């Protein structure tokens, strides 16, 4: 081959580019594949990272949720501890001055907090420097708390709470260990800090988040000298420590808050004309004992009125309550044609099962009664009706003995009763329902067919009756004591079928051990009567139940088996309108059955069984919540706030309202200082004019006229112009005499009366405050009594100059225990203490996430 030929071949091959496209495509595909692989890998990694981040966030938020749940629990702890301390101080309100009350409040608050959160040692003592982590864990929700699944570690998930503390074995203090008891540090006036709280949260996939923080429970600053704690005196029109009487013969309007031991609305006149008494909207009426609405009266409250009372009695009168009505004992309709309409909210909060005076019910004891509950939005009765046997006249021992020809026929129990009749007393006893008609009492009489039954034959005798006379009772006891071959009598046979129930009494009656025998336990009521044939009296046998549920079931069973008979008796007490039913939106929570009107048949009735009838704990909470607030109002006119303690008995709770607040004069003594009242009056000169203790007359703000120990207060400028013809703005009396506010122009300017004796208002209009240690009477035929907060504050600020006093000016307000603070009191007119911002009291410090 020639060289040229070879070079030609080479050149030709160089110029040949066939296949280059394929190579290029392969290279590009490889590059794209590599790029896609990189992108997919990056996306996958990013997706996994986001998934991990999401899971991390989820577990972090779950850990935070656990912390929030602990926060809510601690808010409740702070609330309850402050409330308990506050109530303890309020129960001894007049014992301490403001500074002492404030100091004691802080001390008791911290003691309560330590008790609630501290670790309890083996001896039962609480450690003040260590908090118990287990108590915090107990308040985690079921969905948050750690879930155990033995044998499957991956199934362990939830929150674990620990406390990080210094290792006691490390002298440097830098090493930390985790325990179930953390360090609790208390700072005066600042609060309590729970140090080193650590929340671990692990989810079902194994992702874990850890949050660590110190929690500060700040001290809720509360100064008893501050105006926010004081009762809102300027917003009251009447404060009567014994009784408030509305005696108007035509009409009366009450505006402003009112307090009285008893409130009597007499009304009416000799011609039988009814009087209308109406309260304004948004007021508070606090009555320690009875609101008694007497015959020939029409009484109504405004839509926003809050009423507190021990009992409400509507006696041959008409009443409408539109707002909130809270009753410690009973709402009683009695007399002839009593009529009541209740709208808004009704709460009967007494729940005793043994004391009729402390168990709430609605009782219909009047003939031709009308009760309308159709406007009630929330209806709660925590108690039951009681048959008032204690009011029955008990026979004397001599009358009983005279009818008993052979005392030895009595068993030991009855003989002891007979021998002690002179001082003995019948007991009230439990009924099954919460709304009861007087005729219902017949249901609870032991059926006659179960009394004086011959156990040999199972038959009744001529003694099978209820009631029976003393002579018949004596004869029955003799037969029971001396059985024969023909007869063996039982006083009450619980195993005998009775027609009124369709069953026997054994499932209802309680039992007792008598003469080594278990016998039915019934309530026997001995009543003295004048009928000669009764041998001095009658004996009634009433059902005595094993428990409240049995009482409720007995009532329901008796009613269902005897509707026609029951309704026949009820018709003598209920009017044609009968009982209006609740509206369809009414929230009902009552301890026992309630008779309400049948929506389809106005002449019939339905039984509304209490929706909480078996929940005694719920009714106890209702009682505690409202009783605490009521007691506080009746002690100081300041209500314990709902957010401060919802369910908490006050320290020293004695069990009944009468025992717990026994003193008649409580409010006046807790508001007015007897020593300062005397000092104020004594420092007024007997000569009418300006009172001052040195030559600086300009420092005096008012003029006075003192008659005995009663001081009349005038504006100084007006007194200078009119002398004794001036019109007083205030009356301060240290005498136990009656103050009369007469009609006419003399008392046109009067806005404040503070008196140890009774006060009578004869004016058709009075705008101001009467604060009396006795009885306040409103006697004008057409009366209008109103609160006048602005003018009352002005009179409280009036005073005289005294160089012996640190602030020189001795104001009227200084006769009050909290002095000048009343002048600036900004308490809500409802009497509630200001809400504590509980959420703001719990804060995190040194927070970190791991």
């Amino acid at each position: 081959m020639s060289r040229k030929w070879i070079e030609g071949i080479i050149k030709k091959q160089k110029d040949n580019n066939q296949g280059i496209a394929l190579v290029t495509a392969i290279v590009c595909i490889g590059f794209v594949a590599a790029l896609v692989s990189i992108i997919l890998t990056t996306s996958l990694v990013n997706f996994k990272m986001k998934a991990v981040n999401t899971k991390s966030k989820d577990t972090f938020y779950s850990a935070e949720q656990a912390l929030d749940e602990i926060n809510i629990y601690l808010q409740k702890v702070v609330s309850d501890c402050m409330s308990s301390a506050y109530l303890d101080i309020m129960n001894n309100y007049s014992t301490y001055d403001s500074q002492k009350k404030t100091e004691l409040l802080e001390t008791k608050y911290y003691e309560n907090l330590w008790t609630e959160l501290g670790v309890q040692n083996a001896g039962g003592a609480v450690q003040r420097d260590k908090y118990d982590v287990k108590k915090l864990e107990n308040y985690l929700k079921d969905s948050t708390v750690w879930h155990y699944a033995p044998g499957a570690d991956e199934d362990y998930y939830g929150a674990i709470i620990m406390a990080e503390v210094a290792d006691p074995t490390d002298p440097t203090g830098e090493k930390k260990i985790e325990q179930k008891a953390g360090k609790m540090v208390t700072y005066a006036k600042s609060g309590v800090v729970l140090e080193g709280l650590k929340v671990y949260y692990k989810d079902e996939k194994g992702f874990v988040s850890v949050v660590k923080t110190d929690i500060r429970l700040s001290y809720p600053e509360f100064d008893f000298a501050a105006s926010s704690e004081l009762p809102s005196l300027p917003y009251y029109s009447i404060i009567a420590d014994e009784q408030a009487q509305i005696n108007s013969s035509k009409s009366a309007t009450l505006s402003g808050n009112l307090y009285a031991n008893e409130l009597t609305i007499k009304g009416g006149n000799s011609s039988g004309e009814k009087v209308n008494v109406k309260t304004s909207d948004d007021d508070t009426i606090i009555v320690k004992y009875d609101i008694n609405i007497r015959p020939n009266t029409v009484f109504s409250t405004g839509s926003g009125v809050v009423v507190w009372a021990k009992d409400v009695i509507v006696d041959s009168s008409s009443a409408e309550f539109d707002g909130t009505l809270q009753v410690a004992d009973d709402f009683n309709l009695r007399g002839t044609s009593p009529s009541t309409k209740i709208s808004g909210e009704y709460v009967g909060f007494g729940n005793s099962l043994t004391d009729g005076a402390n168990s709430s019910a609605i009782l219909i004891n009047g003939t031709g009664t009308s009760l309308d509950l159709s406007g009630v939005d929330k209806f709660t009765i925590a108690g039951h009706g009681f048959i008032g046997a204690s009011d029955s006249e008990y026979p004397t021992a001599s009358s009983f003995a005279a009818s008993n020809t052979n005392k030895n026929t009595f068993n030991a129990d009855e003989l002891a009763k007979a021998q002690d009749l002179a001082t003995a007393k019948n007991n009230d006893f439990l009924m099954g329902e919460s709304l009861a008609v007087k005729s219902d009492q017949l249901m609870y009489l032991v059926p006659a067919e179960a009394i004086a039954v011959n156990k040999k034959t199972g038959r009744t005798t001529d003694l099978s009756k209820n009631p029976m006379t003393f002579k018949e009772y004596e004869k029955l006891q003799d037969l029971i004591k001396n059985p024969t071959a023909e007869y063996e009598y039982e006083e009450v046979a619980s195993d005998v079928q009775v027609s009124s129930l369709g069953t026997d009494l054994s499932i209802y009656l309680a039992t007792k051990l008598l003469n080594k025998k278990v016998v039915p336990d019934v309530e026997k009521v001995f009543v003295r009567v004048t009928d000669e044939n009764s041998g001095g009296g009658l004996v009634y046998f009433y059902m005595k139940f094993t428990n409240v549920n049995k009482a409720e079931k007995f009532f329901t069973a008796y009613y269902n088996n005897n509707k026609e008979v029951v309704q026949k008796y009820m018709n003598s007490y209920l009017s044609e309108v009968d009982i209006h039913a609740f509206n369809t939106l009414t929230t009902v929570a009552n301890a026992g059955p309630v008779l309400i009107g049948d929506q389809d048949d106005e002449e019939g009735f339905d039984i509304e069984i209490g929706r909480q009838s078996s929940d005694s704990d719920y009714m106890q909470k209702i009682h505690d919540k409202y009783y605490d607030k009521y007691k506080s109002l009746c002690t100081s006119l300041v209500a314990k706030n709902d957010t401060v303690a919802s369910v908490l008995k006050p320290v020293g709770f004695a069990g009944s309202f009468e025992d717990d607040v026994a003193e008649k004069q409580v409010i006046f003594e807790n508001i007015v200082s007897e020593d300062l009242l005397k000092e104020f009056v004594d420092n007024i000169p007997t000569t009418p004019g300006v009172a001052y203790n040195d030559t600086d007359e300009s420092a005096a703000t008012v003029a006075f006229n003192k008659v005995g120990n009663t001081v009349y207060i005038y504006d100084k400028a007006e007194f200078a112009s009119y002398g004794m013809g001036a019109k007083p703005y205030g009356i301060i009396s240290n005498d136990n005499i009656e103050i009369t506010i007469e009609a006419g122009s003399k008392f046109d300017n009067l806005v404040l009366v503070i008196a140890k004796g009774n006060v009578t208002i004869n004016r058709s209009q009075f705008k101001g405050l009467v604060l009396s240690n006795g009885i306040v009477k409103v006697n004008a035929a057409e009366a209008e009594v109103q609160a006048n907060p602005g003018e009352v504050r002005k009179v409280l600020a009036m005073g005289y100059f005294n160089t012996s006093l640190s602030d020189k000016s001795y104001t009227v307000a200084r006769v009050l225990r909290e002095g000048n603070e009343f002048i600036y009191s900004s308490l809500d007119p409802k009497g509630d203490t200001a809400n504590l911002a509980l959420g703001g009291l719990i804060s995190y410090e040194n927070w970190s996430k791991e």
Side-chain angles (χ1 to χ4, degrees), residues 562-594:
N562 304 273
K563 279 190 177 183
E564 292 184 3
V565 176
V566 172
Q567 290 182 11
K568 178 181 177 182
Y569 282 115
M570 285 182 176
N571 286 337
S572 64
Y573 290 94
L574 299 172
S575 71
E576 182 178 354
V577 180
D578 293 329
I579 305 176
H580 290 288
F582 302 111
N583 67 58
T584 56
L585 299 178
T586 302
T587 301
V588 180
N590 43 288
V594 169

Side-chain angles (χ1 to χ4, degrees), residues 755-815:
K756 291 182 70 175
N758 299 338
V759 178
T760 298
I761 303 174
N762 287 334
R763 297 177 60 81
S764 59
Q765 187 177 71
F766 174 77
K767 294 183 178 181
L769 166 63
V770 174
L771 173 55
S772 168
N773 198 31
I775 300 172
V776 176
K777 303 174 185 177
V778 178
N779 285 345
E782 295 179 276
E784 184 179 358
V785 179
Q786 298 181 21
N788 195 352
E791 294 302 312
V792 168
R793 284 195 178 98
K794 288 181 182 179
V795 177
L796 287 171
M798 291 179 174
Y800 58 81
F801 187 78
N802 189 330
T803 56
S804 66
L805 300 173
S806 59
D807 61 1
K808 309 304 181 188
S809 179
Y810 198 114
T811 63
V812 174
R814 289 187 59 158
V815 307

Side-chain angles (χ1 to χ4, degrees), residues 468-741:
M468 64 178 63
T469 67
F470 278 5
K471 289 182 178 179
E472 291 168 335
Y473 180 74
E474 176 199 20
K475 182 178 178 181
L476 175 59
Q477 298 303 315
D478 189 45
L479 291 172
I480 293 172
K481 188 71 176 180
N482 301 290
T484 67
E486 293 79 21
Y487 61 80
E488 182 180 352
Y489 284 96
E490 288 182 286
E491 186 176 80
V492 174
S494 60
D495 58 350
V496 172
Q497 191 89 351
V498 294
S499 57
S500 58
L501 293 173
T503 182
D504 59 40
L505 302 178
S506 61
I507 61 174
Y508 305 110
L509 277 180
T511 59
K512 65 179 179 180
L513 187 64
L514 184 64
N515 297 330
K516 298 182 179 181
K517 294 181 180 180
V518 177
V519 298
D521 190 9
V522 298
E523 193 77 31
K524 281 174 276 190
V525 178
F526 295 80
V527 182
R528 189 195 312 176
V529 295
T530 57
D531 185 355
E532 294 181 359
N533 295 324
S534 71
L538 296 173
V539 181
Y540 291 81
F541 296 81
Y542 280 99
M543 301 283 291
K544 191 171 184 179
F545 303 100
T546 56
N547 55 55
V548 65
N549 291 331
K550 296 291 187 182
E552 295 168 5
K553 289 179 180 178
F554 172 81
F555 167 79
T556 305
Y558 189 100
Y559 177 82
N560 289 334
N561 280 279
N562 304 273
K563 279 190 177 183
E564 292 184 3
V565 176
V566 172
Q567 290 182 11
K568 178 181 177 182
Y569 282 115
M570 285 182 176
N571 286 337
S572 64
Y573 290 94
L574 299 172
S575 71
E576 182 178 354
V577 180
D578 293 329
I579 305 176
H580 290 288
F582 302 111
N583 67 58
T584 56
L585 299 178
T586 302
T587 301
V588 180
N590 43 288
V594 169
L595 279 175
I596 64 173
D598 190 333
Q599 295 278 18
D600 300 322
D601 182 4
E602 290 187 353
E603 296 183 357
F605 303 92
D606 282 341
I607 295 180
E608 173 67 30
I609 302 298
R611 298 178 192 175
Q612 298 288 347
S613 59
S614 62
D615 192 347
S616 59
D617 290 342
Y618 176 84
M619 292 306 173
Q620 183 64 40
K621 290 178 181 179
I622 291 292
H623 169 271
D624 292 348
K625 173 182 176 180
Y626 285 90
Y627 179 85
D628 291 349
K629 195 169 185 178
Y630 183 38
K631 178 184 174 184
S632 179
L633 284 168
C634 290
T635 304
S636 62
L637 301 183
V638 177
K640 179 198 65 173
N641 193 282
D642 289 341
T643 62
V644 177
S646 57
V647 184
L648 183 67
K649 287 185 178 180
V651 176
F653 178 76
S656 73
F657 190 76
E658 285 81 1
D659 291 339
D660 221 18
V661 190
E663 294 296 327
K664 277 274 187 178
Q665 279 67 43
V666 174
I667 293 295
F668 189 89
E669 292 178 357
N670 283 343
I671 293 176
V672 178
S673 167
E674 186 173 343
D675 292 338
L676 294 175
L677 176 62
K678 183 178 185 301
E679 180 181 309
F680 180 91
V681 173
D682 288 349
N683 279 326
I684 303 295
T686 55
T687 302
V690 177
Y692 57 93
N693 283 8
D694 67 2
T695 58
D696 188 6
E697 184 176 333
S698 63
T701 58
V702 296
F704 302 91
N705 178 32
K706 183 163 70 172
V707 180
N709 287 313
T710 300
V711 175
Y712 295 83
I713 304 172
Y714 306 88
D715 176 78
K716 183 176 70 171
E718 185 176 340
F719 187 82
S721 300
Y722 300 102
M724 296 306 299
K727 300 173 182 179
Y729 285 84
I731 301 175
I732 311 297
S733 178
N734 194 36
D735 265 339
N736 191 19
I737 61 173
E738 182 159 343
I739 304 294
T740 302
I741 306 173

Side-chain angles (χ1 to χ4, degrees), residues 24 44 50 54 306 425 465-467 504 578 589 712 808 822:
T24 302
L44 180 61
K50 286 185 176 180
T54 299
V306 176
K425 186 179 180 182
K465 57 179 66 176
N466 193 5
D504 59 40
D578 293 329
Y712 295 83
K808 309 304 181 188
F822 279 106

Side-chain angles (χ1 to χ4, degrees), residues 317-436:
S317 55
S318 177
E320 291 189 13
F321 293 90
D322 185 5
T324 303
L325 177 58
Q326 294 147 146
V327 183
D329 188 16
D330 295 332
F331 190 105
N332 196 329
L333 295 104
R334 69 187 188 192
T336 304
S337 302
S339 173
T340 293
K341 181 177 181 179
I342 301 175
S343 302
E345 181 175 358
Y346 180 87
V347 181
F349 55 90
N351 72 330
S352 175
L353 298 177
T354 58
D355 182 6
N358 289 283
S359 185
S360 292
I362 295 180
L363 305 177
I364 298 176
N365 291 315
T367 58
T369 301
S370 176
L371 174 62
D372 185 352
L373 301 174
S374 59
V376 176
D377 299 320
K378 185 177 180 181
F379 181 82
T380 304
I381 299 185
H384 296 75
F386 276 70
I387 296 177
S390 60
D391 296 331
S392 304
E393 190 176 14
Y394 213 82
T396 62
S398 58
S399 66
F400 196 94
S403 69
N404 179 19
T405 57
N406 181 8
K407 286 185 179 179
N408 292 328
T409 61
F410 286 93
N411 59 47
D413 179 56
E414 298 303 333
L415 181 58
K417 183 184 287 287
Q419 291 171 339
D420 198 32
L421 285 176
T423 57
K425 186 179 180 182
N426 291 319
N427 296 315
D428 294 342
F429 54 95
L430 182 69
M431 300 170 72
E433 62 266 49
S434 293
L435 191 160

